Amino acid sequence: MLAGVTSPRVRLRAEIEALKPYRQGKPAAADAHKLSSNENPFEPLPAVLAAIVDASADINRYPDSTAAALREVLATKYSVTADQVVVGAGSVSLLSQFISAAASTGDEVVYSWRSFEAYPGLVTVAGATSVTVPNRPDQGHDLPAMVAAITDKTRVIIVCSPNNPTGTIVTKDEFAAFMAQVPPTVLVLLDEAYIEFVTDETAVRGIPLLAEYPNLVVLRTFSKAYGLAGLRIGYAIAAEYLIDAARAASIPLAVIGSAQAAALASLAHESELMERVGRITLLRDHLWQALIDQGWDIPKPSGNFLWLSTGDYTATAAEIFAEAGVIVRALGDGIRVSIGEPSAVDKLLRASAEVVRNL
Ligand SMILES: *Cc1c(COP(=O)(O)O)cnc(C)c1O
């Protein structure tokens, strides 16, 4: 019996023992809407399911560890070489690989806060130290303050646009001014997990900037807009030497064959998927306006989610949403609500009206 072992215990890294395991969005009751994980509400396309079934015929074999076919398609799509593309088991995995490739004990990783919940843990596992820079009052990244936080120990800076969970973007101009001040020896990870939902023309788009900045990595995922969260597949584009470093830091063979096949099928049916993305962004903008009309102060949303600043009232507010049949994500001083099925809208707005009255 291993349960209940008290002593002697294995000596673990103190920072790992102190780490809280990553918390997932709560599973929803059968009749509730799960709007807590920024998932795509649409069912997989039949062609994507068919590709997964086809690929399953080969599960006695290891997958192609280089994801060569997928990298070729992505390289053509973005006018880069296949050697500038790396595929990972979700872009969270790629974030981890890049952080580990550049930072370890004694090194610092700068990112804004509040931002993606996975960042603190990934930095700690790499052995490095998080340096967080508070968001501006309008919930956007404070890029000048992030530049000011750079020290001799800084190895990585993470920029998340649109930012999870506040939904804010970094503009092209803000990003250019930022990059002009970041030393070329510091790795910049631009996390574009929600870029397909961006309709704001002023927002930064990293891929066209790669030629200009050899220290820039752009991270993308099939989890959100493409609806493949359950298959774990994402990619990054950067200069070849950075891609090589991420590969060196990877767990071999983590990207399974059916995920590669599903991603290829999704790219082959991209216009259908982007039409769905268009419907989600329309619903997002409609919901945003409805919430503003209720009296909420919400930054302009650019992802597939909205950020409600609920302060000290957050835990109670999350319960009110849950009672209304909407599972949201409570994050410290606010609530993140994913844009899901249109059928969730009425429940969501009824609960939000109650919450905003009590703020
Ligand atoms: C969802 C998300 C990711 C990617 O998740 P994967 O499923 O691992 O590809 C990356 N960054 C942010 C900010 C996210 O919200």
Side-chain angles (χ1 to χ4, degrees):
M1 281 297 287
L2 283 174
V5 168
T6 47
S7 80
R9 283 166 50 114
V10 169
R11 278 174 59 171
L12 300 171
R13 290 163 56 194
E15 66 273 26
I16 297 292
E17 287 202 285
L19 208 58
K20 285 193 228 108
Y22 181 81
R23 281 191 318 131
Q24 256 198 322
K26 281 193 198 138
D31 58 344
H33 295 279
K34 183 173 180 253
L35 304 182
S36 53
S37 295
N38 293 350
E39 292 154 344
N40 193 312
F42 290 95
E43 284 173 9
L45 293 176
V48 172
L49 286 177
I52 294 166
V53 171
D54 274 0
S56 302
D58 292 329
I59 55 172
N60 55 315
R61 305 289 179 191
Y62 281 111
D64 170 12
S65 66
T66 66
L70 179 57
R71 283 165 49 238
E72 281 297 341
V73 173
L74 290 169
T76 304
K77 177 172 162 63
Y78 295 116
S79 305
V80 296
T81 68
D83 290 335
Q84 286 181 269
V85 184
V86 61
V87 173
S91 61
V92 168
S93 175
L94 291 166
L95 280 162
S96 171
Q97 290 163 234
F98 280 105
I99 293 168
S100 295
S104 98
T105 313
D107 299 330
E108 294 176 351
V109 179
V110 175
Y111 50 90
S112 82
W113 200 252
R114 182 166 287 280
S115 188
F116 186 32
E117 299 144 274
Y119 298 153
L122 298 178
V123 172
T124 300
V125 170
T129 302
S130 285
V131 174
T132 56
V133 175
N135 286 327
R136 300 181 306 218
D138 69 358
Q139 313 283 357
H141 281 14
D142 189 342
L143 291 177
M146 290 170 76
V147 168
I150 296 172
T151 70
D152 288 348
K153 294 179 181 164
T154 307
R155 296 291 176 271
V156 182
I157 307 183
I158 309 173
V159 175
C160 188
S161 178
N163 186 45
N164 176 4
T166 61
T168 50
I169 50 128
V170 166
T171 68
K172 286 190 186 92
D173 292 349
E174 286 171 341
F175 193 74
F178 167 78
M179 288 304 287
Q181 288 181 283
V182 174
T185 49
V186 172
L187 181 64
V188 176
L189 302 180
L190 179 57
D191 187 341
E192 294 191 335
Y194 300 97
I195 192 79
E196 296 87 355
F197 299 98
V198 173
T199 49
D200 187 334
E201 301 269 311
T202 68
V204 68
R205 291 178 176 273
I207 292 172
L209 304 176
L210 288 167
E212 204 174 329
Y213 307 116
N215 58 332
L216 176 64
V217 175
V218 179
L219 296 133
R220 297 277 188 95
T221 180
F222 285 99
S223 294
K224 310 287 166 44
Y226 294 84
L228 298 182
L231 276 177
R232 317 303 308 123
I233 187 157
Y235 58 97
I237 306 184
E240 264 182 58
Y241 80 101
L242 292 174
I243 295 300
D244 289 345
R247 280 218 193 95
S250 76
I251 292 170
L253 299 157
V255 184
I256 62 173
S258 48
Q260 296 179 32
L264 280 166
S266 299
L267 291 168
H269 293 80
E270 191 159 38
S271 56
E272 252 171 288
L273 292 169
M274 290 308 124
E275 195 266 328
R276 292 171 162 195
V277 166
R279 281 195 260 167
I280 294 169
T281 59
L282 282 177
L283 182 57
R284 170 196 73 199
D285 293 344
H286 163 76
L287 263 174
W288 180 49
Q289 189 55 54
L291 289 162
I292 300 284
D293 292 345
Q294 286 184 350
W296 288 94
D297 179 13
I298 303 177
K300 183 178 175 190
S302 285
N304 63 341
F305 53 89
L306 294 158
W307 177 245
L308 307 175
S309 292
T310 41
D312 295 342
Y313 193 61
T314 296
T316 313
E319 279 170 32
I320 291 172
F321 282 106
E323 278 161 26
V326 179
I327 309 302
V328 297
R329 182 76 72 104
L331 294 161
D333 57 353
I335 282 178
R336 190 192 65 201
V337 188
S338 309
I339 310 301
E341 302 82 5
S343 57
V345 167
D346 286 348
K347 290 178 191 172
L348 175 62
L349 288 176
R350 234 176 296 135
S352 62
E354 182 180 343
V355 172
V356 78
R357 271 199 300 276
N358 299 334
L359 285 183

